[in-house]
Each structure stands twice: as C-alpha cells, then as structure tokens.
Amino acid sequence: MLEDYAKVQPVAFQIMKNTVKKDRISHAYLIETNGFSQKKDFVFAFAKYLLCPFHHLQSDETCFICRHQNAENILDLKWIEPDGMWIKKEQLEDVQKEFNKTAIDGNKKVYVIEEAEKLNASSSNSILKFLEEPEENIIAILMVDNIYQLLPTIISRCQIIHLNQDDDKNLLYLDSNTNEIVDVVYHFMEHIEVHKKETLLYENTLWISHFCTKEDVSNALTVLIYFYKDIFNVLVNKRIEKFSYYKKELENLSLKNTVESVCTKIDIIRNKLEQIKININLNLLIDDLIIQLSEV
Ligand SMILES: [Zn+2]
C-alpha cells in the first residue's frame, strides 16, 4: 500500500498523495525510477491508490481494489511490459480495446508501461496521441529508469515523479550548501560551458587537483549530472531540484543550452561514469569528457 513508502520515498509519496487529495489527478504520470529496487511494487501501490474509490493509503481487506496483490486481478488496471525488445503498438491497442469494452461503467482505468524507454517509433506515436488527446477516466503511468531515455515530447506532456535511489549516498554531499565538491564541480561545468575546449588548459586546477581517486571522480560526475538535470529543470520550467542556491547561475547557463543538448550532455557524463568501473586512466577520461561536452 502507498503508505508503506512514506519513509523510503517521502517526496514521491507526498506528490502522489496530493494529486488525489487536492483533486489534481493528471492523465499521465512519468515515474523516473532511478534504479529503485521496489519500483514495481511502489507503482502498483500508486495505481491501486488512484483506482480505489476510497483512496485508501493503508491496507483494507474489505476493499475490492486494495485487497489485490497482483495487477492481473484488477480489471481496470493493465500492466504493459516489453514484448521482446520493444513495447509494441499492438500491446497498446489491446489495452485500449479492453478499456473500451468496460468504459460504460465510468470507473477510472489505469495502464502502466514498464520500461517505457522501449517504446518503438510506432508505439511512441500512439502514446503521444493519447497524451495529446487523453480520454476521460484513463490514466497512463510510464515507468523509466532515467528520464533522458524518453522523447522530450513525451516528457513534456506528463507529470514527472522522481524516485530516490536505494542507497543515494551521493545525495549526502548535496545536503550541505557550502560543500566544496559542489562548488568545484560547478566551476568546472561553468568553464566548459563558457570556454569550451580551452578548459583543457585549466584541467589541473579545475578538476584533477580536487578529485584523485575513482571514487572522488565518480562522486563528482554524479554531482555534475545533477547540475545538468537542474539546467534541464530550468529549461522545462520545472522547479530546480538540488541546487536552488545556484538559481541565477543555472538560469544563465540554461540560455546556452536546449533540452536536447542537456540530454546529450547527461548521456555523455553517464557513459563516463560507466567507464570508470573499467580500468581506465582518469585524466584521459576527463580530457575526453571536456572535449565531448564542448562539442555538443
Ligand atoms: Zn481501497
């Protein structure tokens, strides 16, 4: 039940609760799962919460929605997983047909798309069509591990809910506004945004002298991703999530970027984060990072 996640996912829990309590149920939710291990159970709990006529937060054995432990047993809930490599258009059409059959009862209906990054061109199109002309009483929930894996046109039409990672130790750094790492990473990013490849000449002072070990570098790159995520938030008029104390600076840097360029940059940094796990020369990795970010 949704209440079970109040402590592990406090922000998402609050948003989900408010969406119902304040009568602001959206026709589409995009849940960025961030590797959260209980993502399926959590989204199932959210779907039940939306469907339950009493919006029970806690388990209620007498409730015909809440008592179910499996999505398959709830008529007004459809759970779509990739069929092989992709989520196919036919899978979405089947759900639509099913829902049309029972539309007369006037109940809310929810469909969940797990691994929404596996929508192919034609299934993306049918989702977009739904998002543009939503049907009354039908709610879509898209799950994706990382929001940047989806088309910006899909992202912009959904209410986005971010989940925390299981062990988000990197977030500890970000709690303190005066943290040195955050500051160093900010200046590194700003330098690349303004001076592009010239940053290579200052790499030593800007980066290498601060981050020596694999762990340092991977923490700093994670902070860098969060900075670009916040630039993304500025660009799509969403609230700055992590670095509100850099609001002015991030607004300035957003002028140098587009939604697409920010997504590409985040992808580049994520790739570098993956490469750290393999044995790799850290200085060369940062050289490469600067060059690639400058070329976007
Ligand atoms: Zn209920």
Side-chain angles (χ1 to χ4, degrees):
M1 297 299 293
L2 202 58
E3 182 89 43
D4 302 338
Y5 299 90
K7 282 220 174 81
V8 251
Q9 295 290 350
V11 179
F13 171 74
Q14 208 52 48
I15 296 172
M16 289 167 173
K17 209 170 107 182
N18 281 347
T19 203
V20 166
K21 294 272 178 289
K22 299 196 171 162
D23 203 16
R24 272 193 247 143
I25 297 183
S26 165
H27 64 276
Y29 293 92
L30 173 55
I31 304 194
E32 187 183 38
T33 50
N34 263 316
F36 178 53
S37 57
Q38 299 170 67
K39 60 183 180 185
K40 268 178 108 155
D41 294 336
F42 186 31
V43 172
F44 180 50
F46 178 45
K48 284 203 289 188
Y49 179 62
L50 290 171
L51 288 170
C52 169
F54 314 100
H55 300 305
H56 289 130
L57 282 166
Q58 283 161 341
S59 163
D60 187 319
E61 274 308 306
T62 63
C63 175
F64 71 103
I65 294 284
C66 296
R67 64 169 183 237
H68 290 296
Q69 302 299 320
N70 277 310
E72 299 94 79
N73 299 333
I74 302 178
L75 192 66
D76 291 327
L77 175 61
K78 298 284 173 244
W79 199 281
I80 304 168
E81 289 170 1
D83 176 9
M85 288 274 286
W86 301 106
I87 291 162
K88 295 174 184 144
K89 196 181 168 191
E90 296 73 45
Q91 293 177 272
L92 300 174
E93 286 170 347
D94 287 348
V95 167
Q96 213 153 28
K97 267 185 228 153
E98 281 284 308
F99 278 172
N100 282 341
K101 268 191 237 163
T102 52
I104 25 169
D105 63 16
N107 289 343
K108 274 200 191 66
K109 296 168 204 310
V110 172
Y111 66 94
V112 176
I113 302 182
E114 209 182 312
E115 299 186 68
E117 73 275 14
K118 294 190 176 155
L119 289 162
N120 61 19
S122 58
S123 51
S124 288
N125 262 334
S126 26
I127 285 293
L128 268 174
K129 226 172 116 197
F130 169 80
L131 296 177
E132 278 158 9
E133 302 157 25
E135 284 176 52
E136 213 185 334
N137 286 332
I138 297 186
I139 303 165
I141 302 179
L142 279 64
M143 292 169 69
V144 67
D145 203 45
N146 185 319
I147 200 171
Y148 307 98
Q149 297 169 301
L150 285 183
L151 296 173
T153 42
I154 293 185
I155 299 173
S156 64
R157 285 175 174 82
C158 298
Q159 180 179 344
I160 302 165
I161 300 178
H162 305 274
L163 305 189
N164 298 332
Q165 287 168 16
D166 290 309
D167 180 21
D168 214 346
K169 65 180 163 73
N170 293 310
L171 289 180
L172 295 178
Y173 287 114
L174 308 178
D175 284 344
S176 146
N177 291 4
T178 52
N179 196 291
E180 199 206 337
I181 295 177
V182 172
D183 222 42
V184 172
V185 173
Y186 172 76
H187 283 106
F188 175 72
M189 173 179 74
E190 188 192 51
H191 209 281
I192 296 177
E193 288 290 326
V194 177
H195 303 286
K196 305 282 178 189
K197 279 182 201 163
E198 215 181 283
T199 309
L200 287 169
L201 302 173
Y202 305 95
E203 196 178 335
N204 229 342
T205 6
L206 286 171
W207 186 277
I208 295 173
S209 58
H210 302 278
F211 311 120
C212 315
T213 65
K214 278 188 177 189
E215 203 190 350
D216 290 345
V217 173
S218 104
N219 285 333
L221 288 182
T222 306
V223 172
L224 187 58
I225 289 176
Y226 282 123
F227 265 119
Y228 276 110
K229 279 191 171 188
D230 266 346
I231 295 181
F232 176 89
N233 287 330
V234 173
L235 284 165
V236 297
N237 294 320
K238 293 222 155 63
R239 201 169 50 87
I240 291 183
E241 266 177 89
K242 297 268 189 297
F243 303 112
S244 46
Y245 43 100
Y246 283 96
K247 189 166 182 278
K248 266 221 176 79
E249 290 88 340
L250 293 176
E251 281 169 356
N252 279 333
L253 292 182
S254 76
L255 302 173
K256 295 178 177 294
N257 282 281
T258 62
V259 169
E260 284 75 15
S261 73
V262 171
C263 294
T264 310
K265 286 173 187 177
I266 290 173
D267 236 29
I268 292 172
I269 307 165
R270 280 190 187 279
N271 277 327
K272 295 291 168 238
L273 257 175
E274 285 300 308
Q275 288 173 12
I276 294 178
K277 293 176 195 159
I278 317 162
N279 227 353
I280 201 156
N281 180 318
L282 289 175
N283 294 357
L284 287 179
L285 179 118
I286 299 304
D287 282 353
D288 213 34
L289 176 73
I290 294 171
I291 294 168
Q292 286 186 24
L293 289 178
S294 306
E295 284 171 351
V296 176

